[in-house]
Amino acid sequence: MAARELIGFLRAKVSSLHQARCFHVETSLLATDKNLLIKLRKRTGYSFVNCKRALDKFNNDSKQAEAWLNEEAQKEGWSKASKLQGRKTVEGLIGLLQEGNCAVMVEVNCETDFVARNANFQQLVQQAALGTMMYHQGKQENLATYIKSFLGAGELSQLKTSSDGTLLSDQLALAIGKLGENMTLRRAAWMAVPPNFFIGSYVHGAALSDALSPSSSTAFGKYGALVICQPLEESPRSSVAELGRRLGQHVVGMAPLSLGSLQDEPGGDMETKMLAQPFLLDPSVSVGQYLQPQGMAVVDFLRFECGEELEALDIEPTRHSAES
């Protein structure tokens, strides 16, 4: 073999070995990138294209990539929110959260029932409920009376979320950016009772998304009810909770407009006073008649129906005498 051919052969061999080494390194890097990409995609829910773009931008730093993705999605969400602002939001969910002697109901709306079943939307409803509960933290201490207060859309959007302290309005923009529908934070209500009272609760009409954490403390539905009750005698806690649930079912199903009193004559299906209405689970007796042998009094109630027409909300807290 001539010297020139030998030199050419050796150069080709060295080049081949170099390429093989580079290929091995690149393959290893690609495997690492793919692993990071899958994890980032699963954690954030953003597209593979955007996740890859973020990882490339920050040299595979997942935390920086995620922060950048959220920032970009939020910008896009605010842009989409302004464009979609006029579109009607007639669907959505009621979120109900109860902690001890306090309970919260919120309503968040979207355009379609398809989005209402999405985990990202349900997380937004959950954040609204948690934010409302946090906002009222401490107000239930040393209560001699029960208290009920309301928040309209403007007040609700300015609450901070429990997860990272961002505003609910920012979480809303993020959800709009992800899901591409107009959404609104419509209203919230909070109730707290003294130790000798309890709050019955019930939601109806929606399933939990498979992608939402099963440990979620927020219940979701198209209808929700809170019922403030006062036991007139000692009752087992389990039976009290079940009775509260049944009363909540009645409020959801029969939609009373006022409480009424035990002196009201029992009415028919068109009756709007709760205590005079036929009890939903036993129409042979009125709610008042059902409660008397239970040793229980209903003091107040609240019903939310997703998408219902609203009168102007009184957002100031209202307190009521525990004896009323």
Side-chain angles (χ1 to χ4, degrees):
M1 183 181 291
R4 183 176 295 175
E5 291 174 339
L6 180 60
I7 291 170
F9 172 79
L10 291 173
R11 283 177 175 170
K13 189 71 174 175
V14 169
S15 176
S16 176
L17 288 171
H18 178 70
Q19 288 175 358
R21 182 176 297 173
C22 288
F23 176 77
H24 176 75
V25 172
E26 287 172 4
T27 302
S28 176
L29 285 173
L30 283 172
T32 304
D33 288 350
K34 185 178 180 182
N35 188 42
L36 287 173
L37 182 59
I38 291 171
K39 286 183 178 178
L40 186 63
R41 169 76 172 88
K42 186 176 180 181
R43 188 165 64 249
T44 64
Y46 297 116
S47 69
F48 277 108
V49 172
N50 285 336
C51 288
K52 185 178 186 307
R53 184 180 165 204
L55 287 170
D56 289 345
K57 183 178 179 68
F58 294 99
N59 297 319
N60 296 324
D61 186 316
S62 295
K63 288 185 178 179
Q64 288 191 61
E66 184 174 350
W68 181 79
L69 281 168
N70 286 334
E71 185 179 338
E72 290 300 300
Q74 204 164 84
K75 288 178 184 175
E76 184 182 350
W78 280 116
S79 174
K80 281 186 179 179
S82 62
K83 292 176 183 176
L84 301 176
Q85 195 169 13
R87 283 165 46 167
K88 290 184 178 180
T89 52
V90 294
E91 295 292 340
L93 286 174
I94 304 300
L96 190 153
L97 174 63
Q98 192 162 0
E99 293 181 359
N101 287 348
C102 302
V104 158
M105 276 201 304
V106 298
E107 180 182 357
V108 184
N109 300 120
C110 57
E111 295 181 48
T112 65
D113 187 56
F114 177 78
V115 162
R117 296 194 300 269
N118 184 280
N120 288 304
F121 181 78
Q122 293 184 3
Q123 285 167 358
L124 174 65
V125 180
Q126 181 174 264
Q127 288 299 322
L130 289 167
T132 303
M133 187 68 80
M134 281 183 62
Y135 174 74
H136 290 93
Q137 216 165 35
K139 296 180 182 179
Q140 77 276 19
E141 295 177 3
N142 303 317
L143 280 182
T145 66
Y146 77 89
I147 184 171
K148 177 173 65 174
S149 66
F150 298 91
L151 295 173
E155 293 80 15
L156 189 55
S157 67
Q158 293 306 302
L159 297 185
K160 291 183 178 180
T161 64
S162 62
S163 57
D164 55 9
T166 57
L167 296 179
L168 276 173
S169 56
D170 291 329
Q171 293 291 326
L172 177 70
L174 195 60
I176 291 172
K178 282 184 176 181
L179 300 175
E181 276 196 11
N182 190 23
M183 300 173 198
T184 51
L185 298 161
R186 196 178 195 201
R187 55 175 167 164
W190 173 80
M191 284 183 171
V193 296
N196 57 323
F197 283 58
F198 79 94
I199 303 175
S201 63
Y202 179 71
V203 288
H204 178 80
L208 183 70
S209 166
D210 293 336
L212 196 68
S213 169
S215 62
S216 169
S217 54
T218 306
F220 304 98
K222 296 294 184 182
Y223 306 85
L226 299 173
V227 185
I228 297 179
C229 302
Q230 182 181 19
L232 302 178
E233 55 190 47
E234 280 296 322
S235 303
R237 202 67 191 171
S238 58
S239 64
V240 165
E242 177 57 26
L243 178 59
R245 183 178 182 277
R246 291 177 182 178
L247 292 170
Q249 284 180 301
H250 175 89
V251 170
V252 164
M254 296 296 288
L257 300 179
S258 63
L259 182 61
S261 72
L262 293 176
Q263 285 69 49
D264 294 326
E265 289 292 324
D269 290 340
M270 303 303 291
E271 178 62 63
T272 61
K273 289 182 282 190
M274 179 181 175
L275 293 176
Q277 287 180 324
F279 183 47
L280 182 69
L281 303 181
D282 183 4
S284 66
V285 295
S286 69
V287 174
Q289 290 169 336
Y290 174 77
L291 287 172
Q292 283 180 323
Q294 307 286 339
M296 187 71 60
V298 172
V299 181
D300 204 349
F301 69 90
L302 182 65
R303 182 183 186 273
F304 274 13
E305 179 178 339
C306 189
E308 67 185 334
E309 292 186 11
L310 303 180
E311 297 178 0
L313 288 178
D314 176 11
I315 64 172
E316 292 301 319
T318 55
R319 292 178 179 270
H320 304 265
S321 167
E323 287 76 28
S324 63

